[in-house]
Amino acid sequence: MKDVKSTLLDRRSIRRYEREDIPADTMNFIYEAIRNTPTSYNGQQFSVIDIDDQPTKEKLYELTGQKQIKTCRHFMLFCADYNKISLVAEAKGIDMPEFAHTADGVIVGIVDATLAMMSALTAAESEGLGTCPIGYARTAAPEAIARLMKLPPKVFVVCGLALGIPREMPDIKPKQPTDLVIFHNMYRQDNIVPEMIEYDANVKDYNATRSGTKSDNDWVAHIISYYKEAMDYHTLDALRRRGFDICR
């Protein structure tokens, strides 16, 4: 098992995997790490679907276009989930407020599911596995994925995570320096633009010189292109069809 420092600081997304199975003990450790995730109120407003069935992974690949879903050994979907507590409340005759119809309710579910994904990612990385978070599991085809996974109302996919034995070890991408990420006591009040432009240039240089596929992408224009693509996702409509009709 890797130490905490190398687990967190040497991590990189892996998109190519060996066909080798992940040992059951390793998967059980990941499950336990997920189960022990800190959550809002200890409400545990999340569930995880672990997919190791190859035909199902290939269907998800067809829906998302993310090749690592079909080549990884396990693909996990992390879901915000108010179905479980709603069922128990009904069984006990407790009035269930429409918390899922509030922005805070949606945020709570998203935060819990995301924390659970990071618990899984950290546990997997510590065991020497490769991982790749996949946001397209949420945005590419939410209705089709919900049907494929047989999601009940008040459950929606927040993110996916591919797991497997690494078949590659790409260069670590440059991240924003600490002074642009960690502020002290208040948001930075000085001009951060020159430092951000320098970071943008570092990313462009990395993309042009990294091992493997190279590109002329910078940081800011490339990321904004994803934002522009996301303008057509209609996520709010998809959330409403899952039983999250946000009204306040």
Side-chain angles (χ1 to χ4, degrees):
M1 178 179 285
K2 295 193 290 185
D3 60 39
V4 174
K5 185 175 182 178
S6 59
T7 295
L8 294 175
L9 300 188
D10 294 342
R11 195 210 70 81
R12 73 284 311 273
S13 290
I14 301 297
R15 293 176 172 82
R16 299 178 65 220
Y17 301 92
E18 303 290 355
R19 297 182 181 275
E20 183 181 346
D21 285 335
I22 300 173
D25 286 349
T26 300
M27 289 307 304
N28 287 333
F29 169 54
I30 294 169
Y31 296 156
E32 287 299 300
I34 291 170
R35 198 171 67 85
N36 198 42
T37 295
T39 60
S40 297
Y41 326 118
N42 193 34
Q44 301 157 77
Q45 289 91 186
F46 76 93
S47 292
V48 182
I49 301 174
D50 179 20
I51 303 155
D52 60 1
D53 176 68
Q54 190 61 30
T56 301
K57 289 195 283 124
E58 290 180 4
K59 289 176 183 176
L60 287 168
Y61 160 68
E62 291 170 4
L63 291 170
T64 63
Q66 299 296 294
K67 188 174 182 179
Q68 56 268 42
I69 293 177
K70 71 175 180 179
T71 60
C72 69
R73 295 305 299 162
H74 288 256
F75 182 62
M76 290 182 159
L77 286 173
F78 293 80
C79 304
D81 187 345
Y82 287 100
N83 173 64
K84 293 183 291 188
I85 195 168
S86 297
L87 292 174
V88 178
E90 182 179 6
K92 296 187 68 174
I94 300 172
D95 182 47
M96 178 72 180
E98 296 295 344
F99 188 49
H101 292 344
T102 69
D104 191 49
V106 172
I107 291 169
V108 163
I110 290 171
V111 169
D112 283 5
T114 305
L115 288 171
M117 186 195 73
M118 282 305 301
S119 294
L121 184 151
T122 304
E125 292 280 342
S126 76
E127 291 286 329
L129 298 179
T131 65
C132 184
I134 300 178
Y136 277 105
R138 175 186 68 255
T139 57
E143 300 298 328
I145 290 176
R147 288 193 298 270
L148 181 63
M149 295 293 102
K150 303 187 186 303
L151 298 185
K154 297 185 179 179
V155 178
F156 71 90
V157 171
V158 173
C159 48
L161 182 67
L163 301 173
I165 310 297
R167 196 175 184 178
E168 63 177 1
M169 197 54 61
D171 298 338
I172 296 177
K173 293 180 179 179
K175 302 294 186 181
Q176 293 176 24
T178 304
D179 287 346
L180 287 172
V181 177
I182 309 298
F183 305 152
H184 297 281
N185 298 315
M186 66 179 68
Y187 202 92
R188 273 184 60 173
Q189 300 298 294
D190 59 327
N191 182 14
I192 65 173
V193 172
E195 292 169 70
M196 292 301 304
I197 289 176
E198 182 180 358
Y199 171 69
D200 183 71
N202 289 340
V203 173
K204 186 176 179 68
D205 180 66
Y206 163 83
N207 287 328
T209 60
R210 66 185 179 183
S211 60
T213 304
K214 297 173 176 56
S215 75
D216 61 356
N217 291 333
D218 63 0
W219 176 72
V220 64
H222 187 59
I223 298 303
I224 287 175
S225 72
Y226 287 119
Y227 295 167
K228 290 177 178 178
E229 178 185 333
M231 298 300 290
D232 294 326
Y233 287 160
H234 304 292
T235 301
L236 186 58
D237 292 338
L239 283 172
R240 285 171 173 157
R241 288 190 288 270
R242 295 270 80 237
F244 294 81
D245 191 3
I246 302 170
C247 59
R248 59 184 181 278

